[in-house]
Amino acid sequence: RWKYVKKLEPDTECVFCRASRLPPSFETLVVYKSQMSCILLNKYPYNSGHLLVIPQRHDGNFLNLTNAEYEDLHQTLRVAVEACKAVYQPHGMNIGLNM
């Protein structure tokens, strides 16, 4: 993790764009793909069950999502919540949005 935080191993490509192109597998950390979104495990999770739900199209502005991308992203978020509830059976859950 230290190399990642200090950027000692520079990425030449967006890690999310790379992940969204890869098939779901243990190695890619991608656990689910929809038509326009995907769910991946956080490489350095804050807590158990820490997942990332991302649109597959690279755009740093949430407001630039098309209506179809927005709907797909939220349906994928629903899949992530259902999976976390089934696997971890938490008493609660935090859902955040970073732009």
Side-chain angles (χ1 to χ4, degrees):
R1 180 178 171 116
W2 183 251
K3 288 180 183 179
Y4 173 79
V5 171
K6 287 296 196 178
K7 299 191 186 300
L8 298 176
E9 294 174 348
D11 273 324
T12 57
E13 176 182 27
C14 171
V15 295
F16 302 122
C17 288
R18 179 174 46 241
S20 69
R21 282 196 320 273
L22 299 171
S25 75
F26 182 77
E27 291 78 26
T28 64
L29 303 179
V30 177
V31 295
Y32 175 86
K33 289 183 92 167
S34 68
Q35 184 178 0
M36 297 179 209
S37 306
C38 63
I39 302 171
L40 51 142
L41 300 173
N42 192 315
K43 193 171 186 176
Y44 304 107
Y46 298 137
N47 295 307
S48 297
H50 187 172
L51 301 174
L52 302 170
V53 180
I54 62 170
Q56 291 189 38
R57 183 173 63 86
H58 183 104
D59 193 322
N61 188 339
F62 183 75
L63 298 176
N64 288 343
L65 292 176
T66 66
N67 287 340
E69 288 170 324
Y70 178 88
E71 288 295 324
D72 186 86
L73 183 69
H74 283 80
Q75 289 300 324
T76 303
L77 175 60
R78 177 172 266 180
V79 169
V81 169
E82 289 170 347
C84 280
K85 283 189 168 201
V87 171
Y88 294 101
Q89 301 168 352
H91 295 291
M93 194 174 294
N94 292 323
I95 299 173
L97 177 69
N98 293 332
M99 292 192 340

